[in-house]
Amino acid sequence: MKMLLFLSVITVCLHLYATQVSAECYSPSFNFASYTHPELLDLTTPPGSVIASFPVENVRSATVVQQPSYLEARIVGTDLQFLTTAAFAQYEEREIQTVIILQVSYQCTTSTKNGLYRHNLKLANNHAPSFLQDAYEAVVPLPLPKHFDVTPFITNGAGIMARDIDLINNAVTFSVTENDYMLIESHTVLNDPKQFKAILRLKEQVLKMPNKLELTVTATDAGVPQKSTQVSVVIDPDLSIVYDDPPVFKETFINTTIEKDLLLRVELIPGTETYDVQYSLQGTDAQYFTQTVWENNTGMDLKMIDLGDIPKAKPILNVVAVAKRSQLQATSCVVLVHIPPDSDPEVPATTVDKVLSVLHLNEMSEHQDIFPLAIESCTYSIQSQTPGDYFFIEDATIPSLSSKAFDREDKDLFSGLDFPQFWIVLKLACPVPSTTKTELESHTNWNRSGPMRDIEFSTDLTHLNIIVDDVNDNSPVFSFPPNDAQFAFPTAYLARKMLPDRLLQVEASDLDEGLNAVIRYSLAANDHFDIDPRTGVIFPLKSALDSEESVSLEIIATDRDGAQDGNVSKVKIRVFKATDEQLVVLTVKNIDPNTFESLLNEISLKEGIQMETVRNVFSVDGEELKVKRRSTNEQYSTTAIVYAFKKDRLLPRDDLIGAFKSMDANFTMIFTKLNDLYAVQPKIVESDTTAIYPYIIVAAFFGTLVVAMGAAALYYRNKIRRANNSSTSSLSRSSNISDSIIVQHDHKAPSSTPPVENGSTHPITNARSLSDLLAIVEDTEQENEKTEPKPPTQQDRKKSIKFSDHVERIEVFDKYPTS
């Protein structure tokens, strides 16, 4: 009897279990917990289209959790269907992910199940770039300097913008129709990977434009096949601004001999004269001349005063006639008037052709036939040359000036000169006709050593100015980083939090001049980092160190702005993946940037390690702002994310902290774990490694917060400058440059493509004040256009923002306890 009762109980339990199992959601072909559709979803699919259908049992409803949703789920009879929504048509406009991930809640007969549904997208070049305006127009004032950016005059400073909403290969390159005035550059727009900006710059200095300039700008994407769009750009000169050419004399050198009633006429070139030109005569000999300006103001007459007032011993009069409209618009004419003594013999008919001659010679080459040394029967000789002794007369029978090879970059040779050049003085001598010995002895001025004499009372000297032109004989030299240097970069998980904008900035220089010294940077092909070809900033790609533990990068510097015939130098570095266990957030009280830099160097030398920072911020300590109102003794702090190498191994956090604690310092050091800086963590569903929409929303929120704080800081910074004259402290990091390896003429690198995306980042620290979170990076570019231009240089300056006591403290993060 007991056995029958026991079997009955078991039968009832099995029936109840079977009933409960049969009420759970079930499908022979669909996994409710996680399912990835094997087919690609075409982005051109119309809204309301069913893209997937699965037979199911015991499923009452299916609901997509997150919004906005580009797909929806529904139960139709015994089928679970996924279909596109009305928002699907705007997916490319709004999103950048190549897979749609849905969080779906399934209502079963007796329970509820939650799962993920993924559908990969079919990637194609569906869209051509689109300009933000149908046409662009700018009215520019003239004159404008070389390389001037006309963007401030286009669409109220916004410039020419285009968008390409494709998910891949949407980098836009701009080109412009051939013209004499403008060249174009392509740039990415910060915080918007689908928007690009065109920069129009002047090829040369523009003083006048005869009429409006009509251009066509073309935006071409990187898709396969490529698609492009064109827009009209019209540039008008501002006719309300009138520019007059500077005055120019027809003759800039007048060489003559004194005579009775001598009248010299100096006249401006037609088209350069205006009513407001003022004339003057300069020099100590101006007292011997009278000047009369013409009625039409196009020139003036210079007339000698009574010859009897000129001292007998004076051999020459030298004055400068000047016509000036302003300090920057002036011209001059040198006047030489020779005064021969009455007892001197007759002036010979043969004189030099040129008193001053300017020539250009290339460096690193021998030169022949530089200057003819014969005029009729007269010949030149070298009277002097400076600097050095490079010029000589090769053949006396056919006299011509020659030279040895010289190096333009020889600093000792050309020291003290404005630019590399030689000055040579040539003296002309003519043969004396044969005559008797008595006649020779009676002429006291003849040369008694031979049948040659100097030409007297005439111009017998020619000054040669040899300007040394540059050839591309030097390769770029890396000053940073050193060859085989080691650096660290956060893991992909940490990088999504920290949003680091760069790995490092390359620095190289070239001893050549002009275009030969313009360096364009590039990286050997890799999937982790790219480089801005102009600034040398190496920035991460989305796949930076995603799976590899380390990666080797080859940095290439090519002069002549990356031309195929440019000289190439290379340097190699290795980048290691850094985890939270190898990074330390260090806050140092009562220390300025220079002292902090010295601290890192001191620890590195003492411990035999290489210490670097991912970020560092110098600021006024938020805790001392109240005290600052009562005292002028401001308290500062520096916060940095630090890592260190010992040989080729990243130090663990504890060892790194131990290196700091080994220092006998009189300041406070606070150590914080990197993950402790983040109060909000993204929600990851089970083992799924794909970032889902809640994480994107959290990241977007903090990104928007930092941008808003940056705008507030800039506003208060301007306000503080008017109220407080305290200057901001600069913060930079120097590097050892002694190990750089230069590979000259290694290969001819092709011209670099225009700069790609230059990501924007925001510092992340454990500081409490807004100034601890912000650092402004200012790229300055200065170009000196003198007679002999020098190679351009670029330098990044980092400035930290310091708040005065007129600004209320904005607390962002609470300080966390030390680890």
Side-chain angles (χ1 to χ4, degrees), residues 680-701:
V680 179
Q681 298 293 339
K683 180 180 179 182
I684 305 299
V685 179
E686 297 178 354
S687 62
D688 180 34
T689 60
T690 304
I692 60 175
Y693 282 100
Y695 176 72
I696 297 175
I697 294 173
V698 171
F701 168 76

Side-chain angles (χ1 to χ4, degrees), residues 264-526:
L264 303 176
R265 297 172 62 86
V266 288
E267 181 182 1
L268 296 179
I269 294 176
T272 67
E273 76 281 5
T274 55
Y275 71 92
D276 56 344
V277 173
Q278 297 179 351
Y279 297 89
S280 61
L281 199 62
Q282 301 177 2
T284 57
D285 295 336
Q287 57 182 316
Y288 304 114
F289 293 85
T290 60
Q291 63 183 57
T292 305
V293 179
W294 301 350
E295 291 184 1
N296 59 5
N297 210 45
T298 62
M300 66 176 177
D301 293 333
L302 301 179
K303 189 175 182 179
M304 295 288 301
I305 62 174
D306 189 354
L307 297 181
D309 294 338
I310 302 175
K312 298 296 184 181
K314 200 171 184 63
I316 193 171
L317 297 179
N318 183 5
V319 293
V320 178
V322 177
K324 181 171 63 174
R325 180 180 296 112
S326 66
Q327 194 65 29
L328 298 178
Q329 292 188 331
T331 187
S332 61
C333 174
V334 177
V335 179
L336 293 179
V337 179
H338 296 268
I339 308 174
D342 296 337
S343 61
D344 282 336
E346 183 181 355
V347 177
T350 304
T351 60
V352 299
D353 288 339
K354 294 182 179 180
V355 175
L356 174 63
S357 182
V358 179
L359 304 175
H360 289 257
L361 296 180
N362 286 338
E363 63 170 328
M364 307 307 294
S365 300
E366 296 181 352
H367 299 277
Q368 297 178 341
D369 300 328
I370 297 173
F371 189 84
L373 299 180
I375 301 179
E376 299 178 359
S377 61
C378 305
T379 57
Y380 280 105
S381 62
I382 299 177
Q383 188 177 62
S384 65
Q385 58 176 299
T386 185
D389 189 15
Y390 285 86
F391 295 86
F392 58 92
I393 300 174
E394 186 171 9
D395 188 353
T397 59
I398 308 177
S400 180
L401 189 65
S402 303
S403 79
K404 299 180 290 186
F406 38 80
D407 185 0
R408 184 186 176 280
E409 287 77 35
D410 188 338
K411 295 182 179 179
D412 295 333
L413 178 63
F414 298 110
S415 62
L417 300 177
D418 292 336
F419 52 88
Q421 59 180 317
F422 294 95
W423 281 97
I424 306 170
V425 179
L426 301 176
K427 187 176 182 63
L428 187 67
C430 297
V432 179
S434 64
T435 182
T436 64
K437 180 178 180 181
T438 304
E439 290 173 337
L440 287 172
E441 292 176 349
S442 65
H443 203 297
T444 57
N445 288 319
W446 285 9
N447 188 342
R448 299 181 184 274
S449 63
M452 301 289 291
R453 68 175 178 80
D454 293 341
I455 298 178
E456 296 153 339
F457 318 123
S458 66
T459 302
D460 59 355
L461 297 180
T462 292
H463 294 259
L464 290 183
N465 178 210
I466 308 294
I467 298 175
V468 182
D469 289 339
D470 182 59
V471 298
N472 194 22
D473 58 330
N474 292 281
S475 296
V477 177
F478 283 95
S479 57
F480 182 78
N483 194 52
D484 295 328
Q486 300 179 125
F487 297 92
F489 194 78
T491 64
Y493 172 72
L494 293 176
R496 286 196 294 268
K497 294 181 177 182
M498 298 170 57
L499 300 178
D501 63 336
R502 64 176 64 189
L503 172 65
L504 55 93
Q505 183 168 12
V506 175
E507 296 177 3
S509 60
D510 196 304
L511 293 177
D512 291 317
E513 178 193 41
L515 180 62
N516 293 336
V518 178
I519 298 175
R520 181 177 284 264
Y521 300 100
S522 60
L523 285 181
N526 72 95

Side-chain angles (χ1 to χ4, degrees), residues 70-375:
Y70 301 100
L71 302 177
E72 64 177 351
R74 67 185 181 186
I75 300 297
V76 179
T78 59
D79 290 335
L80 170 62
Q81 295 181 350
F82 291 90
L83 61 159
T84 56
T85 66
F88 184 74
Q90 285 79 42
Y91 184 86
E92 291 175 289
E93 178 71 30
R94 300 174 180 174
E95 307 294 341
I96 61 174
Q97 283 190 319
T98 59
V99 57
I100 295 180
I101 304 174
L102 300 180
Q103 284 184 311
V104 186
S105 176
Y106 304 98
Q107 183 63 50
C108 305
T109 303
T110 60
S111 62
T112 300
K113 277 192 174 184
N114 295 321
L116 289 179
Y117 174 80
R118 302 178 188 83
H119 210 131
N120 292 298
L121 300 174
K122 181 180 180 181
L123 303 178
N125 194 20
N126 297 321
H127 305 276
S130 60
F131 288 95
L132 301 192
Q133 289 193 184
D134 296 333
Y136 294 90
E137 184 174 359
V139 178
V140 298
L142 295 178
L144 290 175
K146 182 180 180 180
H147 293 163
F148 184 83
D149 177 9
V150 300
T151 297
F153 304 104
I154 302 177
T155 59
N156 297 323
I160 303 172
M161 309 282 279
R163 282 179 60 83
D164 191 323
I165 64 175
D166 288 315
L167 298 183
I168 60 170
N169 298 330
N170 65 343
V172 173
T173 302
F174 296 95
S175 59
V176 65
T177 50
E178 186 65 28
N179 66 94
D180 296 330
Y181 295 95
M182 295 290 175
L183 51 84
I184 197 166
E185 300 174 358
S186 306
H187 294 269
T188 56
V189 176
L190 299 182
N191 302 321
D192 191 345
K194 297 187 178 184
Q195 189 158 312
F196 302 86
K197 184 175 185 178
I199 299 295
L200 285 175
R201 295 188 185 275
L202 293 177
K203 293 181 178 178
E204 302 292 342
Q205 181 183 18
V206 176
L207 303 179
K208 289 184 177 180
M209 289 177 61
N211 42 44
K212 69 172 56 177
L213 178 63
E214 297 182 358
L215 304 172
T216 299
V217 174
T218 303
T220 305
D221 63 19
V224 179
Q226 291 182 323
K227 292 186 178 182
S228 60
T229 307
Q230 293 184 334
V231 70
S232 173
V233 180
V234 177
I235 298 177
D236 271 328
D238 190 345
L239 300 180
S240 63
I241 300 176
V242 178
Y243 175 81
D244 294 318
D245 292 324
V248 179
F249 281 120
K250 287 184 177 181
E251 295 180 89
T252 58
F253 184 79
I254 298 177
N255 185 18
T256 186
T257 302
I258 195 169
E259 61 183 30
K260 186 179 180 180
D261 299 327
L262 176 65
L263 179 66
L264 303 176
R265 297 172 62 86
V266 288
E267 181 182 1
L268 296 179
I269 294 176
T272 67
E273 76 281 5
T274 55
Y275 71 92
D276 56 344
V277 173
Q278 297 179 351
Y279 297 89
S280 61
L281 199 62
Q282 301 177 2
T284 57
D285 295 336
Q287 57 182 316
Y288 304 114
F289 293 85
T290 60
Q291 63 183 57
T292 305
V293 179
W294 301 350
E295 291 184 1
N296 59 5
N297 210 45
T298 62
M300 66 176 177
D301 293 333
L302 301 179
K303 189 175 182 179
M304 295 288 301
I305 62 174
D306 189 354
L307 297 181
D309 294 338
I310 302 175
K312 298 296 184 181
K314 200 171 184 63
I316 193 171
L317 297 179
N318 183 5
V319 293
V320 178
V322 177
K324 181 171 63 174
R325 180 180 296 112
S326 66
Q327 194 65 29
L328 298 178
Q329 292 188 331
T331 187
S332 61
C333 174
V334 177
V335 179
L336 293 179
V337 179
H338 296 268
I339 308 174
D342 296 337
S343 61
D344 282 336
E346 183 181 355
V347 177
T350 304
T351 60
V352 299
D353 288 339
K354 294 182 179 180
V355 175
L356 174 63
S357 182
V358 179
L359 304 175
H360 289 257
L361 296 180
N362 286 338
E363 63 170 328
M364 307 307 294
S365 300
E366 296 181 352
H367 299 277
Q368 297 178 341
D369 300 328
I370 297 173
F371 189 84
L373 299 180
I375 301 179

Side-chain angles (χ1 to χ4, degrees), residues 62-75:
T63 305
V64 176
V65 176
Q66 75 268 21
Q67 295 296 329
S69 177
Y70 301 100
L71 302 177
E72 64 177 351
R74 67 185 181 186
I75 300 297

